[in-house]
Amino acid sequence: MSLLRRRKQPPPPPSDGNGSDHDDDKGKRPSSSSAPASKEATRRTKGKWSCVDSCCWLVGCVCSAWWLLLFLYNAMPASFPQYVTEAITGPLPDPPGVKLQKEGLRVKHPVVFVPGIVTGGLELWEGHHCAEGLFRKRLWGGTFGDVYKRPLCWVEHMSLDNETGLDKPGIRVRPVTGLVAADYFVPGYFVWAVLIANLARIGYEEKTMYMAAYDWRLSFQNTEVRDQTLSRIKSNIELMVATNGGNRVVVIPHSMGVLYFLHFMKWVEAPPPMGGGGGPNWCEKHIKAVLNIGGPFLGVPKAVAGLFSSEAKDVAVARAIAPDVLDSDFLGLQTLRHLMRMTRTWDSTMSMIPKGGDTIWGGLDWSPEDGCECKAKKQKGNDTEVSDDINGESVEVPPEPINYGRLVSFGKDVAEARSSEIERIEFRDAVKGNNIAHSNTSCRDIWTEYHELGWGGIKAVADYKAYTASSIIDLLHFVAPRMMQRGSVHFSYGIADNLDDPKYKHYKYWSNPLETKLPNAPDMEIFSMYGVGIPTERAYVYKLAPQAECYIPFRIDTSAEGGDENSCLKGGVYLADGDETVPVLSAGYMCAKGWRGKTRFNPAGSKTYVREYNHSPPSNLLEGRGTQSGAHVDIMGNFALIEDIIRIAAGATGEEIGGHQEDEVPISGLRARVQFCGFCFAIVIFHSFVPFANSLTGS
């Protein structure tokens, strides 16, 4: 050991000529040989740059930039963003509230807002252990922060009981109350906020505005059973009328809220215990006008895709871009199956299944939209188009076949074939196969009714090839019998043979405008206000999933495309005119035809008006979501729509604001639907007089 220690000691410094060791300089000067080595080691140490260093610098730069931008945002004058916008786009028009305030309009009729599906906030009042600390925190709406922190716990609390359609044991989720319930869906994404702000410009405030918040997951009648929501709406409307000089209310429902308030108007008239006991003249005494925004009166095809495969156009595109991510077992995500398990417990979604069957939506070889362009607002015509070939000679170009009546087709070839060429095998009496989930534990973890369908049932569904609005109901009963068993208690999708039949007094018919009468309110006005000019989902091309033993067995075939860029078939979805969610046929048909004048659906002759708003997207990012948008939610910020609403709330009638407002292009919007649906409605009118009409309509 002494030898090792001796070897590790540094060599003695060199001596001078006198043999002196210069003890004074020992340890103060490095040797000439060790100095370069020390400098080289230092240089190598300084040159190293680890991943940790890079991450720290990146986080530091991002945080510094974020704080700098936040500081500048808070330091700049409030008018600076508007100044920049006006410098680029020119002077902005006054908001409708400011404009009408200058005209002298003031608050008159109290206003009631009825939000649609998913736009109303929900908060937790009681939950399981995984939801500890979330008492009265929003599970829906707001920041959605808890979705990312505990997604499976969130799904569990947002789901309803599969048998009752009400709360699961130990869970209570309730709607947020007040105007904040649906003014913003998430921070920065308005729903009712712009309309509320403009109404406030002419004097409206909390005492003259009421948000009729409800739990949009429940069936309409169950909102009364569990929360007495319908009774609260009735009481609040009566209070607002009494405290505002007897001025009747103006009701503004949006999306599914249109169907909910249609149900309310029948409920409030009906005697207890099923109804509110208001009597046959309650609506006449308390409601001036109902302004339905984007109302799916006759349902939406998108609801079919959502219930059938938990997807729509956007989800199908995302799935095509990232295959197997949304329904992969990787990391236990299985996103679409969790989504299906949750949404199939929401009974309200079944209220938007298409109503009226083939009579309204079309059959295998026809639909009300036949002859219309899905994009351009002009008639294609039933004849072939004429174009010039490269030699200048005229060539007949046959129009692209569009069979909108086939809401679901298995394969593009089936969607385009003549009905006589389609060989269909009946599925309704097919024997369902063995449980397809028995071999995979992860399949059983997320229960969907597809687990009980089996290969035999899956093959039977695909072999039927094409489904219309009438057979869609049977299809959903076949693939999801428990869901539809609950839904059939609360909703109906047919056309009434005789509206005086006592069976139509049941609440399951109240949200279907084809199976109920409007209230006895001749002085009440009804408006259909909706956007046009946006391609909207109308029918779907499906295929079998490649691994149906565990996945949802059916999916939209995103490879199905039309012949050119102007085709109505995009990514397995046939598009028609509408507001991106609700086709024009559903949004405007009742006010344009079914309720126009005194009809069996409108025996009191309440005046109805159609107000179409042609979609105009924002010209640049500074305009946000645009002030002329016709999109299903963005239309809530449409200046023309807001101006119409404020004028009516301030006392104007439908005639005074211009009556019907339909697009001037001859075959666009609702007029086309009315022309081509004329004979459909004739069938509806004579349905109770022609014995064999049932076989023709399939209802």
Side-chain angles (χ1 to χ4, degrees), residues 100-113:
L100 299 180
Q101 182 190 36
K102 293 177 180 178
E103 293 183 12
L105 269 66
R106 294 294 181 266
V107 56
K108 183 175 181 181
H109 294 278
V111 172
V112 177
F113 308 113

Side-chain angles (χ1 to χ4, degrees), residues 61-76:
C61 290
V62 170
C63 291
S64 300
W66 171 256
W67 284 111
L68 177 62
L69 292 174
L70 188 62
F71 170 77
L72 293 176
Y73 176 78
N74 289 299
M76 73 173 65

Side-chain angles (χ1 to χ4, degrees), residues 172-409:
R172 281 188 296 153
V173 176
R174 297 294 181 264
V176 178
T177 58
L179 296 178
V180 296
D183 55 351
Y184 287 92
F185 179 57
V186 293
Y189 190 87
F190 69 83
V191 184
W192 294 93
V194 176
L195 177 57
I196 292 172
N198 279 277
L199 283 166
R201 292 282 190 176
I202 66 168
Y204 279 88
E205 50 187 298
E206 283 274 3
K207 66 181 180 182
T208 49
M209 291 190 288
Y210 167 60
M211 182 70 70
Y214 60 98
D215 191 337
W216 44 262
R217 301 171 303 161
L218 302 176
S219 69
F220 301 157
Q221 193 70 7
N222 273 344
T223 63
E224 174 66 15
V225 171
R226 195 193 72 179
D227 301 332
Q228 293 76 53
T229 304
L230 298 174
S231 294
R232 294 172 187 271
I233 295 175
K234 175 178 179 285
S235 298
N236 276 283
I237 290 177
E238 291 172 346
L239 177 64
M240 294 176 80
V241 172
T243 56
N244 284 276
N247 290 318
R248 296 176 296 163
V249 300
V250 170
V251 184
I252 311 174
H254 173 248
S255 190
M256 192 188 76
V258 170
L259 302 179
Y260 186 70
F261 195 75
L262 191 64
H263 179 97
F264 169 83
M265 288 193 294
K266 296 302 295 183
W267 173 88
V268 76
E269 291 181 336
M274 188 181 297
N281 298 319
W282 190 93
C283 292
E284 173 73 4
K285 294 178 181 178
H286 295 89
I287 302 176
K288 174 194 184 289
V290 183
L291 314 182
N292 301 292
I293 303 176
F297 288 104
L298 302 178
V300 287
K302 185 180 284 190
V304 174
L307 293 171
F308 186 51
S309 61
S310 274
E311 59 183 343
K313 183 176 182 293
D314 296 336
V315 176
V317 170
R319 178 189 245 166
I321 295 175
D324 300 333
V325 171
L326 291 177
D327 45 6
S328 172
D329 288 330
F330 177 65
L331 298 180
L333 295 177
Q334 306 167 349
T335 308
L336 281 185
R337 276 181 285 159
H338 281 297
L339 181 64
M340 174 172 282
R341 185 191 76 176
M342 178 175 66
T343 56
R344 280 191 173 183
T345 66
W346 298 348
D347 289 350
S348 62
T349 58
M350 287 178 275
S351 71
M352 294 186 290
I353 294 174
K355 304 174 178 67
D358 298 357
T359 304
I360 296 295
W361 293 91
L364 290 177
D365 287 320
W366 75 275
S367 70
E369 294 90 346
D370 286 348
C372 299
E373 293 279 3
C374 58
K375 285 188 176 180
K377 296 182 179 302
K378 60 182 180 179
Q379 186 176 8
K380 289 168 65 176
N382 294 327
D383 299 330
T384 56
E385 298 178 359
V386 179
S387 63
D388 294 335
D389 64 6
I390 57 176
N391 297 321
E393 298 178 357
S394 61
V395 178
E396 291 186 349
V397 180
E400 177 187 0
I402 306 173
N403 298 312
Y404 286 122
R406 306 174 192 180
L407 294 183
V408 170
S409 303

Side-chain angles (χ1 to χ4, degrees), residues 423-452:
E423 296 182 3
R424 299 196 293 175
I425 301 175
E426 183 58 52
F427 74 95
R428 293 174 178 86
D429 298 324
V431 178
K432 298 181 180 181
N434 294 326
N435 192 330
I436 61 175
H438 69 277
S439 62
N440 193 322
T441 304
S442 66
C443 290
R444 296 194 298 269
D445 291 342
I446 308 174
W447 180 87
T448 67
E449 294 192 68
Y450 280 128
H451 297 170
E452 301 171 0

